[in-house]
Each structure stands twice: as C-alpha cells, then as structure tokens.
Amino acid sequence: MQRRGGKELRELFVNFWQQKGSHHYPSFSLIPDDPSLLFTIAGMVPFKAYYLGIRAPEYPHAVTCQKCVRTNDIENVGRTARHHTFFEMLGNFAWGSYFKKEAIVWGWEFLTEVVGLEPHRLYASVYQDDEEAFGAWHSLVGLPEARILRFGQEENYWFMGEEGPCGPCSEIYYDRGENYGCSSPTCGVGCDCDRFMEIWNLVFTQYDRQKNGSLSPLPRSNIDTGMGLERLTSIVQGVDTDYETDLFMPLIEYTCKKAGIRYGGNSANAGNKNDMAVRVIADHARSVAFMLADGVLPANDGPGYVLRRLLRRAARYGRLLGFEGGFLREYVPILIDVMGDPYRELAEHRLTIEEIIDVEESRFEKTLMQGTDLFDAEAARLKSSGGAKLLPGDVAFALYDTYGFPLELTLEMAAEQGISVDRKGFEEAMEAQRQRARSKSKQKKSSLSGDVYTDLENELPATVFTGYSQCRGRARILALLTGEGRGEKGEPGKDCELVLDATPFYAERGGEVGDTGRIFAEDAEVTMEVMDVVPHGPLITHRVKPDGVVKVGMEVRCEVDDRRRGAIRRNHTATHLLHEALGRVLGGHVRQAGSLVTDRILRFDFTHHSPLSGEHIAEVERVVNEQILANVALEVTECGRDEARQRGAKALFDEKYGDVVRVVAVPGFSTELCGGLHVRATGDIGLFKIVREESVGSGTRRISALTGMNTLELLQHTSLLIARLTGALSAEESNLLAKAEALLDENRQLQRQLQEIRVKELTRNTDSAFEEKEVGGILLQTGKFSQIAPETLREIGDKAKARRTPTVVVLASLVDQNCHLAVMADDAAVKKGANAGAIVKETSALLGGRGGGRPNMAQGGGKDLARLDEALLQIESLLMKQLQK
C-alpha cells in the first residue's frame, strides 16, 4: 500500500466520486441550518432536508469532505487514539439515483484500487436481514462469506428519529494485524480491541418509520455514507493513532519543540501526561481555528461557549507543559500550511482568528488566578485542620467546571502542597453534570420539518426580484396564506401573506430590513399595505393588510416606499465603507460579525479586542466621509464565487452563498459579496456620523451610526442643545467644557466631604454600628447602612476588622433600589475556614444578584431588598458550615 498524505486522500476521494457523476459541494459551515444541533456533526447534516423530503435535491448525487465538530466526549480527547472534537468526514450521497449495489461496488473500488488497501484485510458488516447488501458484497465484490458479518439493529440499522427516514447500513472494517489485537480466541470484527477498525459506514435510507413502528418504503431510496479522513489516513500511513498522521504531526512537533519534550517521553508516566497535553492542544487548536473561521465568537452559551471551553482547555494544558502567557495563536500559520488548501477561510480570516485567540487567552489568565485563589484557600484550610489532607471531589470539580482546571492540573498543584485529591468524588460530580446536560438536551435527532413554506418552495417557481433597478412593477398572486394556512382569498382588514411571481420589494436578509409600501389590485380596487417582506428559500412572501377581498390569480401593481428605501440604501452602503475603514484604522483582524440596516440607523458589529478611542472614531469617520465626498460610482457585478475571492471580495462569516455571487465594489476602496440594496454613488449617502461605540461580547464591538437626513437631524439637535447649555451655565461655547468640569469637580469635593463626615460618625462608636455574634470562635460583625458607597463600606469594614481577631465583617448598604454587600475576613478567620467570596456569592443570589471575590474580601449585592434580613440571617449558618467543613 502506497503511503499518501491526508491532503492527497481528501482529493482522491472527491475526484473519484466526481468521476462517478457526483456534484462536489465544498464543505458547508460548522454552524448548521438545524435548530437541534450546535454544530455540523456529520456529512449528511447539510442534506438532512433532502432525506426528510422537505426539499428536492439540487443534484441526484453528491460528494463532500465536510468539516465537523462533536463535543459529547471532550474529556476523552487526548486520552484515546481517535477521540477528536474537530474532524473531516468524507461522504458520498445519492437521492433516488444509485443505491446499494453501486455504493458497495464503488466503495470497494475506491478503497482497493484507488487508495490501495489490501483486499484480504477488509471485512464488511450488514444488517442481519439485508440480503441485497450481502449479495452485493459476496457476488459483485467477491468478498468471502466468512468476511461478511451479519449484525442486528443495534449495530447495523440507522434511524433519523423516532419517526421518519431510516434503513440498514453496511460498515467496512480494516484488519490492522495481530499486533493490535487482544489475543482473545473470539477476537474479530466488533471486538473492542484496536485490531479491526471501522473505516466507512454506508447507510441505505429506504424506509419511512411510522408512529406504530412499522416501515413503509420511501418514494425514493437514498445513500448516505461517512468515512473519517483522520482514521483513513492513519491506516494508509501505518501509524498507531490519528495524532501521528501528517494532519496532526506538524502541530505536535511544534508543541514538543516549544516544550522541550519528545512525543512519547522517556518515563512512561511523564510521557503519558505530556502526550495527552500535546494531543489536546493539537486537537483543540484545529477546532478553535475552524470555529472562528466560520464566524463563531466566544460567548457564555451555544457554540461560543464550546469555543471558549476548548480554547481554555488547550491553554490549560499548555500551562502543564510549562508555557506561560498566550501561545495558541502560534498554531494558526501551521494549520494554514496543513489545511489552508482547501479551507481557504483559515488564511482569509487569519488576523481575526489570531486576535480573538489572544483576547480569550488573556481573559483566561484572570480566571486561572481566581481558581488558584480558591485552591490556595482550600489547601490552607486542609493544612490547618490537622486531619486527612484530601481535597474534596466537589472542590476539584468546581475548579474544573467553573475555573477550567483540568483534573491533571489540580492533581499537580495538590501534589506540590502534599495534598491528595478525592478522585472518586470528582468523577461522581462529573457524572452528575453529564446527567444534567443530557436531561437538558434531549433533542430529537432531527427537528427539521416541512411546513407550508417548504411545500410552496417545491411547488412554485422562484420569485423574480426586480428591485435592484426599480421600485414599481406588475405581478400576479401565485399563492396566499392566512392565519389558518394556505387559502384562495384574504379578507378585508386581516393580515395575510402573498407570494407573487415577481416583486420589486426587497426581502429582509443579511441584516437589511425589508421594504414596505403598497400593492394594488386595480381591477378589484383593493389596496394592500405591505408591512413586511421575508424570504423563504427561492420565494419571497409579502405580509399585507388588504382593504378588500384579495384572491389568488389576481394581477397587481407594486409600489415600494421609495423614500424609506433611499434611507436604507444610504445606510447599507455606509456599512461597506465603515467595514473597510475599520480595517484600515484598527488592523486587518477586523471582520464583520453582524449588522442591522434600517431607514433610521445602521448598526455594525465587528471583531476587535478593545474600545475605540476618540481618535480612532474620528479617523474612521474621516475615512468614510472622504469616500462620500469623492462621490465614487458603485460597481455591481455577478461572477463565480472563486473569481470573487480572487478579486479580494470580503464575504460575511455566516452568510450562505451560491456558485454565482453578487459583488458590490467602491472602486479603489472596498469590494464585498452582497445581495442588498445600495446607492448609485457614495455621494448619495450625504454625511456619516458615529453615534455610539460599545461592547457586545468577548472580542466583539458594535458601532451605531447615522447617514443622510438622520445625520442632519442629529447635528441640529446637538447645536440646539449646546446653545441651551451655554445659556444655562452662562458660558461661551469655547469654554463650555471647562465650566462644566469645574462644576463637576466642585460637586465631587462636596460629596467627598459629606462622606467623610458620615464615616466619622459611623465609626466613632463601632460597637453601636454592628450586631455581633460568636460563631465557632469567630466574631461575626454585621452592619446595615443607608446611602453608603461600596468604597466607603470597605473603609468602615477595615476599622471594624481591626477591633478583634479572628473576625468576619458583613456590611450591607441600601443605595436607591440596590443593596451593596461587602464581606471581609481577617487572616485568622480564613485559616479557620472562613471564605468571604463564598458567603457573598450565596447571599447575593438570595437577593437576586451576583457577587464573589477572594476568601478575605468579596463584594456583591442584589435588588430584592425585601429578603435582605433573611439573607443576613443565613450568613451565620453559612459561616458555621465553612468552619465545620
């Protein structure tokens, strides 16, 4: 068998199926059009609607190498030979064209004649009753009966859900040899050892499972196959694990060189620990880079949470290898070398990927410090307790789950302190979390379903959009929807949706709102207000309110609100100018992360790590308005997607593009793929003004801006406001700022003097300001105050803390409709087990708020003031539990 690289195998697979007549789809996004899935987890996911019969396939058969992410077993990644989060799935698919015989014969041909796998090492499994598949393997391929295994439904039958498409499958196995076996006399296909490796699964979707469990033949039989590129590559390259293939080794070799270690190690224990860290970093670096390239941004839920978790897990394992500071961005150029062809998005978004990785690693450093504080507090408590020095499993799990510490890191830190870790308790807490996750994510295997819109898509021709060149036009009503579903007519005064054969109305997409206007049925003298326009695949629906009866088949006249559309056009073209200007001013890492374009305002989200300075904002405005004053005529063309990329056209992360794309260019300045509405020349925008810049998430900023007459209204309002301020402050406009700053400074001084007087009064007799209780040998001091700022609370707490040791001081201040909490513990109290951060966290939760901090100082609060007394009362029991623990 000839040794081949992963890149070559990928190309061989695609070329082979293209020669069989399959259409090649480039890999779809990692974010699927399926609400039941966070990520694309298999090659068939983008085609699920075809298998469900919701949409008709574009081509009778297809081939893909699909980017996939699976996260159901993250903790095993790095521990085993073949667990991955990111992987590539080779797949060929057919919908009513070829079926079992061709899939089996051609699959055998690819593996043996193209790849060169030894035929005598290959086995096949079939569903126990599938004589057609058995016959194809035996009679057409020539596989001996002894190497064709029959398995039951559990192993060789595939279901999309409790109901719907299903069918038997046939799996292909490769015998790696006795060296990989378990030496059991019964070792064979299906054994848990590493000898017989499943490499390809051929699914024959031919039945429709009914509610009662019975099977009905589908109108057409389908093929769905999947083969992991990493697994196939490991076999062809003759290596023990996927990680030793050329798809991973450049990443692993770089890690080992950076860490000064050898993959495999000299000592078995050290080698295993280091090998796992190296594998985790290689796997997660791939996942993080591809997620970011597909537009996933760090977040606290959804795909963004998974991204953040993987990035931090990789960063943590880097710490175990001795890496300090951020290092993961260093893997991006290596990934581009290994996988940039065919995944050009890695190179196109390189700067963005590197920038976001840097920001996230920097933020993780802070989280790591907080987790270390918790560990240090627990370690100090254990050492002072005089008992067994065993870190509780729930603490180890909190370090893992809340602060991102892998168990290996906790074990290492504990060993340095002479402490053991309750691993059993940790595993129990981990399993409880898995159970909670499963109960929360009981999603159907497919939540895609057909509806009235998909029925219309399959039945009606695509709506012809004429709005790029005109605001008026004639059309015919092809379909009508009411609240009850599809109908033949709509009643006066009741909302309904129309599908026309052609329309000048732009349908909302890509962040640009849809047009409004009116539709007239002149023969019936009916006028319809168009309130919303929405795309449904190739169709455009118009939500209207008619003043008379409207029927299917009517000839109508459409009129777009041209004044509103003009404002939308100005704002949309301005977003293109803004996008380019931000890249020029801030750097090449800037990429659009979302937008909203209305007739009133434009909102633009983009990747950047820090707030824009006033100078940055002014420079961005200058660059955009310079292009507006130049009055450059826009150039709009259509071309192939590859040609557009070669011309440097920017594509949005989450936008779906066909083979032919629309390119909007401001010559000499910017070029983007865009299907929206634009002005004829940049001068039509009038004037551009940024009105707000803010954060919308980790590494993502948002700019809100105005154009045209909206900008004029803002300037007029600002001018009037300045005139009123100069009058109210008796100041000239030239020294207005100085006068306002002087008044604010005077006010701050008065406030400071007032606070100092109040603090002196409160601390003059500390005994009367606090309630005192003895809790486990610690003085618990609790004080309630009104209108005291948090920083002043700390000052009062410092004075109270100095009265006696050991002590815990609790301070609550009601300020307007909020309660501010501060808890302080002196060193002696912390040694006894007191933890201010834990007290504030639980107490703030009772008040409907949040809080936390270090064992010796923490702050928080909430707005549920009615529960303040109850919250303060529970502190005594919380402290006692801490001391007993």
Side-chain angles (χ1 to χ4, degrees):
M1 176 172 57
Q2 178 183 345
R3 189 187 189 283
R4 301 178 189 273
K7 180 175 184 289
E8 182 183 2
L9 288 171
R10 188 191 296 122
E11 293 171 349
L12 286 173
F13 185 83
V14 171
N15 292 338
F16 176 83
W17 289 104
Q18 282 183 308
Q19 291 168 11
K20 301 297 183 185
S22 295
H23 175 76
H24 174 222
Y25 285 97
S27 178
F28 294 85
S29 171
L30 284 172
I31 305 302
D33 290 327
D34 185 339
S36 71
L37 298 171
L38 283 181
F39 297 102
T40 300
I41 59 172
M44 64 81 60
V45 168
F47 305 118
K48 194 181 286 189
Y50 298 168
Y51 289 98
L52 290 168
I54 295 172
R55 289 188 174 87
E58 295 178 285
Y59 303 94
H61 38 277
V63 59
T64 65
C65 180
Q66 176 61 45
K67 300 177 292 187
C68 299
V69 165
R70 292 182 185 174
T71 59
N72 55 318
D73 227 2
I74 291 176
E75 59 265 26
N76 278 329
V77 172
R79 300 179 189 275
T80 68
R82 307 188 197 284
H83 267 99
H84 305 297
T85 52
F86 175 87
F87 62 96
E88 297 175 79
M89 185 171 284
L90 305 171
N92 56 286
F93 313 90
W95 304 282
S97 53
Y98 67 82
F99 198 45
K100 290 182 187 179
K101 293 179 180 178
E102 295 86 350
I104 289 172
V105 171
W106 289 341
W108 179 266
E109 179 186 344
F110 174 74
L111 290 177
T112 58
E113 298 182 21
V114 178
V115 176
L117 297 187
E118 305 92 321
H120 69 275
R121 288 180 176 267
L122 293 174
Y123 291 72
S125 68
V126 297
Y127 180 57
Q128 57 193 11
D129 298 331
D130 194 349
E131 298 301 332
E132 184 181 0
F134 185 93
W137 281 116
H138 185 51
S139 302
L140 299 179
V141 170
L143 202 61
E145 289 190 27
R147 299 222 307 273
I148 308 173
L149 293 304
R150 294 180 184 265
F151 292 138
Q153 189 176 97
E154 187 69 23
E155 295 86 2
N156 276 73
Y157 211 93
W158 181 84
F159 297 94
M160 188 173 284
E162 295 179 2
E163 300 176 50
C166 61
C169 61
S170 180
E171 296 176 327
I172 303 174
Y173 294 82
Y174 180 81
D175 181 0
R176 302 171 73 201
E178 293 182 1
N179 291 339
Y180 293 92
C182 59
S183 302
S184 169
T186 60
C187 183
V189 172
C191 183
D192 290 336
C193 70
D194 291 334
R195 176 171 177 177
F196 297 93
M197 186 186 294
E198 176 202 336
I199 56 174
W200 203 348
N201 189 13
L202 316 179
V203 179
F204 313 125
T205 312
Q206 60 187 116
Y207 298 111
D208 185 6
R209 184 158 75 166
Q210 308 301 307
K211 286 184 178 179
N212 61 8
S214 62
L215 303 177
S216 301
L218 287 169
R220 60 174 180 238
S221 297
N222 309 308
I223 290 292
D224 161 26
T225 85
M227 174 165 54
L229 174 63
E230 293 82 1
R231 185 169 294 194
L232 176 65
T233 306
S234 72
I235 290 174
V236 173
Q237 295 181 1
V239 294
D240 291 343
T241 74
D242 295 354
Y243 290 99
E244 291 156 28
T245 67
D246 65 343
L247 296 170
F248 284 93
M249 280 309 294
L251 301 167
I252 287 174
E253 289 168 350
Y254 178 81
T255 305
C256 290
K257 182 178 179 181
K258 182 179 179 69
I261 60 175
R262 182 171 63 85
Y263 188 61
N266 296 318
S267 162
N269 292 331
N272 288 338
K273 180 185 72 174
N274 288 341
D275 286 357
M276 179 175 175
V278 168
R279 289 193 290 264
V280 167
I281 291 169
D283 175 274
H284 291 4
R286 294 184 357 142
S287 292
V288 166
F290 274 98
M291 286 184 197
L292 290 170
D294 275 3
V296 180
L297 295 173
N300 291 326
D301 55 14
Y305 171 75
V306 176
L307 166 65
R308 175 170 283 162
R309 182 181 174 191
L310 294 180
L311 190 151
R312 292 184 172 187
R313 189 169 188 256
R316 292 192 309 264
Y317 276 97
R319 304 304 184 277
L320 290 176
L321 295 177
F323 299 165
E324 295 182 358
F327 68 94
L328 285 171
R329 69 175 295 158
E330 299 165 19
Y331 292 86
V332 178
I334 303 172
L335 272 170
I336 293 172
D337 287 342
V338 175
M339 307 182 77
D341 180 14
Y343 301 115
R344 289 181 292 184
E345 59 268 28
L346 290 173
E348 290 172 355
H349 302 308
R350 172 179 173 174
L351 293 176
T352 305
I353 295 168
E354 292 175 340
E355 178 79 5
I356 295 173
I357 287 175
D358 271 353
V359 172
E360 276 298 300
E361 281 200 273
S362 175
R363 294 190 175 189
F364 173 60
E365 287 288 339
K366 298 177 183 177
T367 305
L368 198 64
M369 290 174 62
Q370 292 171 345
T372 302
D373 285 343
L374 172 61
F375 176 85
D376 289 344
E378 288 294 327
R381 182 186 65 79
L382 288 172
K383 288 181 177 181
S384 64
S385 66
K389 294 180 175 57
L390 181 68
L391 188 75
D394 61 341
V395 175
F397 179 74
L399 288 168
Y400 167 84
D401 189 51
T402 304
Y403 299 102
F405 282 46
L407 181 60
E408 290 76 15
L409 181 58
T410 302
L411 289 169
E412 186 172 282
M413 292 170 64
E416 292 172 356
Q417 299 279 348
I419 297 171
S420 300
V421 177
D422 178 10
R423 301 186 68 159
K424 182 180 178 182
F426 173 85
E427 292 298 337
E428 289 173 351
M430 176 73 80
E431 182 56 32
Q433 186 205 49
R434 292 192 191 105
Q435 294 295 339
R436 290 192 297 270
R438 291 187 192 111
S439 66
K440 288 180 180 178
S441 61
K442 297 261 185 201
Q443 298 166 326
K444 294 182 179 178
K445 291 186 180 177
S446 171
S447 66
L448 293 178
S449 60
D451 54 21
V452 65
Y453 297 108
T454 49
D455 291 341
L456 289 172
E457 289 174 37
N458 290 327
E459 176 186 332
L460 300 177
T463 306
V464 177
F465 176 61
T466 61
Y468 287 134
S469 59
Q470 58 192 53
C471 290
R472 292 171 174 74
R474 297 189 176 274
R476 185 167 64 89
I477 301 175
L478 298 183
L480 186 149
L481 301 173
T482 66
E484 287 73 41
R486 190 170 179 179
E488 290 298 315
K489 67 177 182 178
E491 300 295 337
K494 294 184 177 181
D495 288 7
C496 61
E497 293 180 73
L498 306 180
V499 179
L500 310 179
D501 60 347
T503 181
F505 286 92
Y506 180 81
E508 179 175 351
R509 67 170 70 86
E512 180 179 348
V513 297
D515 281 326
T516 59
R518 294 185 293 178
I519 296 176
F520 304 92
E522 294 178 322
D523 291 346
E525 296 185 348
V526 175
T527 299
M528 294 164 267
E529 290 292 329
V530 178
M531 298 171 287
D532 197 12
V533 188
V534 179
H536 293 282
L539 301 181
I540 295 174
T541 63
H542 308 70
R543 185 165 65 87
V544 301
K545 186 183 289 292
D547 62 6
V549 176
V550 57
K551 298 179 180 179
V552 173
M554 275 185 169
E555 300 291 332
V556 296
R557 177 169 53 87
C558 303
E559 287 188 4
V560 175
D561 182 342
D562 195 24
R563 183 182 181 86
R564 178 176 179 272
R565 174 184 275 192
I568 295 171
R569 286 178 186 265
R570 287 190 286 273
N571 282 338
H572 193 176
T573 304
T575 63
H576 285 227
L577 301 180
L578 173 61
H579 190 181
E580 180 65 25
L582 286 168
R584 296 189 179 196
V585 173
L586 302 178
H589 63 275
V590 170
R591 285 290 181 275
Q592 181 172 348
S595 68
L596 174 66
V597 177
T598 73
D599 57 321
R600 294 294 303 170
I601 197 168
L602 69 90
R603 198 177 71 196
F604 189 83
D605 297 347
F606 59 99
T607 54
H608 188 58
H609 63 281
S610 61
L612 272 64
S613 65
E615 291 77 12
H616 282 146
I617 291 175
E619 180 62 12
V620 168
E621 289 179 335
R622 187 196 66 77
V623 172
V624 172
N625 283 299
E626 191 175 68
Q627 289 298 314
I628 292 172
L629 287 173
N631 197 27
V632 180
L634 271 67
E635 293 181 356
V636 181
T637 57
E638 289 189 348
C639 63
R641 184 167 45 186
D642 289 341
E643 180 185 343
R645 276 182 163 178
Q646 291 169 5
R647 290 166 56 181
K650 294 178 182 176
L652 299 191
F653 276 142
D654 56 353
E655 195 74 11
K656 306 293 189 294
Y657 298 102
D659 292 333
V660 177
V661 294
R662 187 168 180 264
V663 180
V664 177
V666 179
F669 188 71
S670 72
T671 306
E672 292 192 28
L673 303 186
C674 183
L677 302 173
H678 290 277
V679 297
R680 290 167 295 183
T682 57
D684 296 343
I685 296 171
L687 183 63
F688 171 86
K689 177 64 181 172
I690 293 174
V691 294
R692 188 171 185 178
E693 191 273 340
E694 59 190 320
S695 170
V696 290
S698 175
T700 309
R701 310 294 301 177
R702 171 175 292 168
I703 279 178
S704 299
L706 302 175
T707 66
M709 295 301 293
N710 294 323
T711 310
L712 176 61
E713 291 176 9
L714 172 67
L715 295 177
Q716 290 175 330
H717 173 76
T718 303
S719 179
L720 180 60
L721 181 61
I722 290 173
R724 289 177 176 174
L725 284 172
T726 55
L729 298 178
S730 300
E732 296 294 327
E733 185 175 332
S734 58
N735 69 344
L736 183 61
L737 178 60
K739 185 66 177 287
E741 288 177 339
L743 287 173
L744 288 171
D745 185 58
E746 181 181 345
N747 184 60
R748 280 192 292 267
Q749 290 182 29
L750 292 172
Q751 289 288 340
R752 193 177 302 114
Q753 292 171 9
L754 179 61
Q755 282 285 49
E756 289 173 356
I757 293 170
R758 297 191 66 190
V759 170
K760 286 180 181 177
E761 290 178 354
L762 289 169
T763 57
R764 184 174 299 149
N765 188 355
T766 311
D767 291 343
S768 62
F770 289 91
E771 291 184 6
E772 299 179 357
K773 284 189 178 181
E774 194 81 20
V775 180
I778 290 178
L779 176 65
L780 175 63
Q781 305 180 67
T782 305
K784 286 172 59 177
F785 307 94
S786 177
Q787 301 300 319
I788 299 295
E791 59 272 15
T792 307
L793 279 183
R794 291 196 297 271
E795 187 177 341
I796 297 171
D798 284 334
K799 294 182 181 298
K801 195 170 65 168
R803 295 174 60 222
R804 179 178 146 188
T805 186
T807 187
V808 171
V809 182
V810 178
L811 308 104
S813 176
L814 302 179
V815 180
D816 299 326
Q817 297 302 311
N818 293 291
C819 175
H820 296 291
L821 280 178
V823 177
M824 308 170 76
D826 65 4
D827 293 341
V830 172
K831 286 182 180 179
K832 281 179 168 286
N835 188 319
I839 291 173
V840 166
K841 182 177 180 181
E842 292 198 40
T843 309
S844 297
L846 196 60
L847 295 172
R850 299 172 63 185
R854 300 184 304 276
N856 63 343
M857 172 63 200
Q859 291 180 275
K863 294 187 176 182
D864 192 351
L865 305 185
R867 304 190 70 181
L868 176 58
D869 290 338
E870 177 189 353
L872 294 177
L873 281 174
Q874 82 157 2
I875 290 177
E876 180 180 350
S877 62
L878 287 175
L879 178 58
M880 180 60 75
K881 287 179 182 178
Q882 290 178 349
L883 300 180
Q884 292 172 344
K885 188 176 178 182

